Amino acid sequence: MIARTLACLLLSMGLFDSVHARDYRYSDAHLHYVDFFQETEGMPALLKAMDEAGVEQSMISGIPVAKKWHEDEPKRPRYYAGDDADAYWYSATDLYVAAALEKLPAEQRKRFHPFLTGFNPVDKNAVNHIERMLELYPGLWQGIGEVFTRHDDLTALTSGDTPRANNEAMTRIYHLAAERDLPVLLHSNITSKRERNPLYLAEIEEPLRNHPHTRFIWAHAGSSVEIHRHQERMDFLLPVLTRLLEDYPNLYVDLSWSVLEPYLLDEQGVPRKAWVELVVRFPERFMLGSDVVGRFGSIGEQMHAFNPFLDALPEAVAERVSRRNFVELLPKSAK
């Protein structure tokens, strides 16, 4: 009798757990429709991958540079870091995104939130390009970015001056973003591959301080896989990010893949308590992104990899991070 009662109890506990297991739906806050050669698998492949992954809505942008296939290279590189040929700013990337969205039925189009990215962030004319695109496609664009500023080896490979998030050209864009109610997704590495300190912190903090009415999404919280290859986990990232979130209510954080490990999860895949506490403390300021680039088969893998961390959060916070925060950050006209 005791054994039977215990078995029933264990069974009921198992059923309870299965009933209350979390079934996440996602908003992807960081997705590139094309790759560094401005090529894509196309919208049918993207929609299929989103449906299979449980992604309800997605940010969508192009890639602001194109990788050159150099005359002296017999084989085309597969990625921007494949060889030493440079990359150049490529404005037509926005047209590819707009054209793909215009072909969709209205119900499918509503799932996408296009961001403008096809401009040179060290050119003070860039703001004029953004204004022209807003006029050419009224009501289409819902944000600006991903803006490539400090970006690993891509910075050195890109033609022209070194882009910074705190230069005059970007200042003009931030003013426009505030006027048009457009969030700005910035890639701005917090440090270099070799410096074990927040070397480039001022480049992201100055815009946060000087443009309090502009909403900034910090891609990967300033981290990157290339930085991790050289110095593994940056111990200063958590305290710096905590201070920035305390000081600047206009800062939001994209927790795409290079933040997942080694920050959100430890070497055993267990959520780190300090990061869980940070997200719980600022539940409206974090969002998830796949950061896929023109190929979409890994969207499910990228988004579902966050589930162990989401499971460690209170359910209401997890739902905000996985789905609601990105959508609520968009312009009022898009909601």
Side-chain angles (χ1 to χ4, degrees):
M1 178 66 70
I2 294 174
R4 186 181 306 150
T5 302
L6 180 59
C8 291
L9 178 62
L10 291 174
L11 178 60
S12 66
M13 290 173 63
L15 289 172
F16 180 88
D17 286 344
S18 66
V19 167
H20 290 271
R22 297 181 184 178
D23 180 20
Y24 294 111
R25 311 296 291 176
Y26 308 92
S27 294
D28 189 341
H30 190 156
L31 180 144
H32 298 281
Y33 184 61
V34 299
D35 62 17
F36 284 89
F37 298 94
Q38 303 300 318
E39 297 173 351
T40 179
E41 282 188 320
M43 193 58 74
L46 173 54
L47 287 165
K48 180 175 183 289
M50 288 172 60
D51 290 342
E52 292 176 350
V55 175
E56 295 177 341
Q57 302 188 60
S58 181
M59 173 270 196
I60 186 170
S61 74
I63 289 280
V65 298
K67 172 71 173 181
K68 179 180 178 180
W69 185 3
H70 197 279
E71 175 70 19
D72 295 336
E73 291 293 339
K75 183 178 179 180
R76 190 173 90 157
R78 291 186 293 272
Y79 192 54
Y80 76 76
D83 59 30
D84 293 332
D86 62 359
Y88 51 94
W89 301 106
Y90 194 85
S91 292
T93 197
D94 293 330
L95 302 179
Y96 299 153
V97 171
L101 293 175
E102 287 187 327
K103 294 176 183 177
L104 290 178
E107 283 304 308
Q108 292 287 22
R109 195 183 309 170
K110 290 178 182 177
R111 300 176 66 182
F112 293 100
H113 306 282
F115 280 37
L116 277 161
T117 188
F119 56 87
N120 181 343
V122 297
D123 182 355
K124 289 190 285 188
N125 290 311
V127 69
N128 300 325
H129 166 78
I130 294 173
E131 289 180 320
R132 284 192 293 267
M133 293 299 290
L134 292 171
E135 292 170 3
L136 281 171
Y137 298 93
L140 177 66
W141 306 106
Q142 298 176 29
I144 296 171
E146 181 187 13
V147 184
F148 286 175
T149 60
R150 296 284 182 182
H151 193 299
D152 304 327
D153 295 333
L154 182 60
T155 299
L157 290 173
T158 302
S159 302
D161 300 327
T162 299
R164 292 181 288 107
N166 60 341
N167 65 16
E168 187 176 347
M170 288 304 302
T171 294
R172 294 167 179 248
I173 291 170
Y174 302 145
H175 283 302
L176 177 67
E179 291 171 5
R180 300 296 187 97
D181 191 30
L182 300 172
V184 180
L185 173 62
L186 275 176
H187 187 122
S188 183
N189 286 2
I190 195 170
T191 192
S192 69
K193 293 186 291 187
R194 293 175 177 82
E195 292 294 328
R196 296 180 182 272
N197 60 77
L199 179 66
Y200 302 131
L201 176 60
E203 295 182 8
I204 184 70
E205 186 164 10
E206 285 181 16
L208 290 170
R209 180 175 60 249
N210 296 338
H211 301 275
H213 301 297
T214 302
R215 302 187 301 284
F216 293 91
I217 308 171
W218 196 10
H220 325 290
S223 71
S224 77
V225 170
E226 189 62 25
I227 293 174
H228 299 154
R229 286 196 184 104
H230 291 263
Q231 51 179 303
E232 299 179 350
R233 184 161 58 102
M234 296 179 285
D235 292 335
F236 57 81
L237 183 60
L238 181 62
V240 167
L241 182 58
T242 301
R243 181 184 66 79
L244 293 178
L245 288 166
E246 291 170 346
D247 291 348
Y248 304 106
N250 56 333
L251 172 63
Y252 299 81
V253 181
D254 155 31
L255 293 172
S256 47
W257 57 300
S258 63
V259 188
L260 182 63
E261 296 175 353
Y263 300 105
L264 303 184
L265 304 179
D266 66 16
E267 294 79 4
Q268 287 73 45
V270 176
R272 295 185 187 273
K273 181 181 178 183
W275 281 87
V276 170
E277 291 174 347
L278 180 66
V279 174
V280 170
R281 184 179 171 192
F282 298 98
E284 300 177 357
R285 310 277 286 280
F286 293 90
M287 57 201 70
L288 307 182
S290 67
D291 197 16
V292 294
V293 180
R295 302 291 181 271
F296 310 118
S298 67
I299 288 177
E301 177 184 355
Q302 296 293 337
M303 301 303 283
H304 298 164
F306 288 97
N307 288 359
F309 185 79
L310 294 172
D311 288 342
L313 299 171
E315 190 164 2
V317 176
E319 199 268 342
R320 291 201 67 92
V321 174
S322 66
R323 189 171 67 89
R324 287 176 52 195
N325 284 345
F326 170 68
V327 175
E328 293 182 0
L329 190 63
L330 296 170
K332 296 181 180 64
S333 61
K335 298 171 187 174

